[in-house]
Amino acid sequence: MKKFSSDFMIGAATAAHQVEGNNVNSDFWTMEHIPGTMYKEPSLDAVDHYHKYKEDVQLLVDAGLNTYRFSIEWARIEPAKGNFDNNEINHYRQVLEFCHQNNVTPIVTLHHFSSPKWLISEGGWESESTIEYFGNYSRYVVSELGNLIPYICTINEANMGKQITKIMKRMTANGSNSANKDNSVDVQVGLNVDMKAKMETYYRELGVAFGIDPRNVQSFLSPRTENGEIIIMKCHEKARNIIKELNPSIKVGITFSLYDHQALPGGEPYVEKEQYEDYLNYLPFLQEDDFLGVQNYSRKIHGPDGAVKPDETSRLTKMGYEFYPEALGNVLRFVAKYWDKPIIVTENGISTDNDEERVEFIERALAGVYQCLEEGINVIGYTYWSLLDNFEWQLGYAQTFGLIAVDRSTQTRYPKDSLSFLGNIKKAGLNGLKV
C-alpha cells in the first residue's frame, strides 16, 4: 500500500482574488472594469469565499484533507497607502482560527498576483519603493497573525513576469496582429492573448485608471525587466527577514511556476536555458528560505529548433496544456538536484469538465510524488489547484480546476468525486483506490 505518512500535508489551494469576490481596491478589479479590458468578464462576487470560507474549509475537512493554502489580500489589508484595515486582518484571523479548530494546516501566501491599486500608481512591480511597501505590509500581517501561521509563501510564482515577457517577445517576433493562441499555453496562468487590436484603447484607459503614464503600469502579471526581477526577489528577502525577526518559528518560502522541460535530440540547449531562467538563476536569493513551493501543470518538449507543440494526437486539458501528470514528479527530481530543504507542491491540477479525468490526473501526479519520496526527495506536502472552480484571471470563469463546483447564481457548492478521491489518498493511500 502506497500510503503517505501521517504528517504529510495533503489539501488544496486558492487565491484571494480568484475566490473571495469584490476585491474592489485591487489593481485587477480596476483592470477588469476599464473600457477595452483584456478580461473576458469581471470577477464580481467570484465564488464568495470571503463569506463562505467556513463551508468551503469544512468540505475540505470532511473529505479527509488536512492542509489549506490560501492568500491574504494586500488590497484588503492596506486599501490606501499606510492605512491598515483592522476589520480585514480580523477576517483572516477568523479564517486561520477556523483552520486550526479543524486540524487543518494553513499555508498562507502574502502575495498571489493581485496588488493594491495604489501600489501600481506608485510604480508597481518595477519600482524600488515596492520593496519597502511590501515589507510594511508583511510586518503588519505577521505581527497580527504570525502566531497562527506555520508556513508563509511570500510571493506566488515569482518567475511569472519573466515567463510572460517571453510570450510577448514571441508575439512581437511573429509580427501577428492577433496573437497566436498557442502562446497562451506557454504560461501557467489564465491570459487572454487575443489582444493586439485592443491594446491601444486598453493602455490609454489603464493610464487614466491608475493616474500615471500607461507605460508605467506594472502589475505583477506585466512583462518583467531584469531590474523588476531583482525587485521581486528583494521583496521576498525583505519579507523573509521581517518574518524571521518577528517570529522565527514560521517556515518561509516562495513559489515558482515550473514546467517539466524535456529535450528531443538537439533540444538540450533550450532545456538548459529554460531551466536556468525559470529556476536556477533565483537560487542565490533563496539560501535562507525554509522550503520551496513548486507549481507544475504540464511539460514542454524542446527540439533542435526550440519548443515543440503537442501534435493533434496529444491529449490536452481545457487550458490547452498537454495532459501529462508525470510532469510533477520530473520537476520535483529536477528541483531536488539543487535544493535539499523541504519542498511543498503548492499547486498542481487540471482544468477539465470531466471529473474522471481529474481523478486520473491526481492519482498519476501523486504516484509521482510518492515515488519521489521513495527516492529520498524531501517533499512535505501537496495542495491541489484548486479547492473551488474560480476566476481564472483574464479567462474568467470558464476554466474549471476545482475539486468543488460552484453555481455562481446561487453560490451553491457541489463537491466533485475528485475531492473525496484526494481525501481517500490522504486516509488510505494510492493502491487500487476507487471513489
Side-chain angles (χ1 to χ4, degrees), residues 9-10 16 21 44 64 87 99 118 132 173 282 315 335 346 364 409:
M9 297 182 285
I10 299 184
L44 304 178
N87 290 332
C99 287
W118 64 261
E132 200 64 35
Y282 295 100
R315 185 174 170 190
V335 165
T346 40
R364 285 168 56 180
S409 66

Side-chain angles (χ1 to χ4, degrees), residues 60-214:
L60 177 147
V61 170
D62 291 347
L65 300 170
N66 70 347
T67 307
Y68 181 39
R69 176 181 175 238
F70 66 95
S71 70
I72 290 175
E73 182 53 60
W74 186 359
R76 293 189 192 277
I77 299 298
E78 192 179 3
K81 185 170 69 171
N83 293 345
F84 295 100
D85 190 323
N86 195 50
N87 290 332
E88 295 293 357
I89 207 78
N90 282 333
H91 167 77
Y92 290 109
R93 181 177 286 112
Q94 289 164 11
V95 177
L96 287 160
E97 286 172 345
F98 190 75
C99 287
H100 286 290
Q101 288 160 17
N102 287 279
N103 298 313
V104 169
T105 300
I107 300 173
V108 169
T109 306
L110 291 179
H111 187 272
H112 194 127
F113 293 168
S114 49
S115 308
K117 181 183 177 185
W118 64 261
L119 185 82
I120 308 307
S121 297
E122 294 273 340
W125 292 95
E126 291 282 345
S127 170
E128 296 280 343
S129 61
T130 294
I131 301 165
E132 200 64 35
Y133 295 142
F134 189 63
N136 295 341
Y137 158 65
S138 301
R139 181 176 295 279
Y140 179 70
V141 170
V142 176
S143 61
E144 290 284 337
L145 305 178
N147 62 321
L148 294 168
I149 307 176
Y151 296 92
I152 288 179
C153 307
T154 56
I155 293 170
N156 181 71
E157 295 187 337
N159 57 344
M160 183 53 70
K162 180 184 287 179
Q163 294 184 349
I164 291 170
T165 302
K166 291 182 201 174
I167 289 179
M168 295 305 179
K169 282 181 178 170
R170 273 197 292 275
M171 283 167 53
T172 306
N174 292 344
S176 59
N177 191 43
S178 169
N180 187 331
K181 185 179 182 296
D182 287 345
N183 286 313
S184 65
V185 304
D186 285 346
V187 66
Q188 296 186 147
V189 65
L191 290 182
N192 176 9
V193 293
D194 302 325
M195 51 171 78
K196 280 268 178 91
K198 297 168 72 176
M199 280 298 208
E200 203 170 307
T201 307
Y202 177 63
Y203 276 112
R204 189 167 55 245
E205 295 293 341
L206 266 186
V208 172
F210 289 100
I212 56 175
D213 185 319

Side-chain angles (χ1 to χ4, degrees), residues 14-24 26 29 43-53 56 68 70-77 88 91-93 95 109 114 137 386 388-391 393 397 408 411 413:
T14 63
H17 187 79
Q18 293 177 269
V19 295
E20 287 182 343
N22 298 294
N23 188 19
V24 297
S26 72
W29 183 273
S43 54
L44 304 178
D45 290 335
V47 292
D48 199 25
H49 182 65
Y50 188 88
H51 297 106
K52 297 177 79 74
Y53 70 87
D56 296 334
Y68 181 39
F70 66 95
S71 70
I72 290 175
E73 182 53 60
W74 186 359
R76 293 189 192 277
I77 299 298
E88 295 293 357
H91 167 77
Y92 290 109
R93 181 177 286 112
V95 177
T109 306
S114 49
Y137 158 65
S386 175
L388 299 143
D389 287 343
N390 61 48
F391 182 72
W393 309 108
Y397 289 103
R408 293 182 55 250
Q411 298 294 8
R413 272 59 177 152

Side-chain angles (χ1 to χ4, degrees), residues 369-389:
V369 173
Y370 189 86
Q371 183 60 43
C372 288
L373 290 169
E374 294 272 279
E375 294 166 18
I377 295 172
N378 192 5
V379 188
I380 62 170
Y382 173 95
T383 55
Y384 174 86
W385 183 271
S386 175
L387 180 61
L388 299 143
D389 287 343

Side-chain angles (χ1 to χ4, degrees), residues 260-276 300-308:
D260 173 18
H261 293 290
Q262 299 183 1
L264 299 172
E268 294 83 0
Y270 291 100
V271 167
E272 288 172 16
K273 182 174 186 287
E274 292 280 353
Q275 289 174 335
Y276 176 79
K300 281 187 185 175
I301 298 172
H302 304 267
D305 300 317
V308 178

Side-chain angles (χ1 to χ4, degrees), residues 252-254 279-280 282-283 285-294 332-344 377-378:
V252 183
I254 193 168
Y279 170 57
L280 295 175
Y282 295 100
L283 285 172
F285 297 97
L286 311 182
Q287 296 311 301
E288 294 174 42
D289 287 16
D290 299 303
F291 71 91
L292 184 69
V294 168
L332 291 171
R333 289 182 188 93
F334 165 67
V335 165
K337 286 181 188 173
Y338 309 91
W339 182 264
D340 58 3
K341 295 180 188 178
I343 299 167
I344 301 174
I377 295 172
N378 192 5

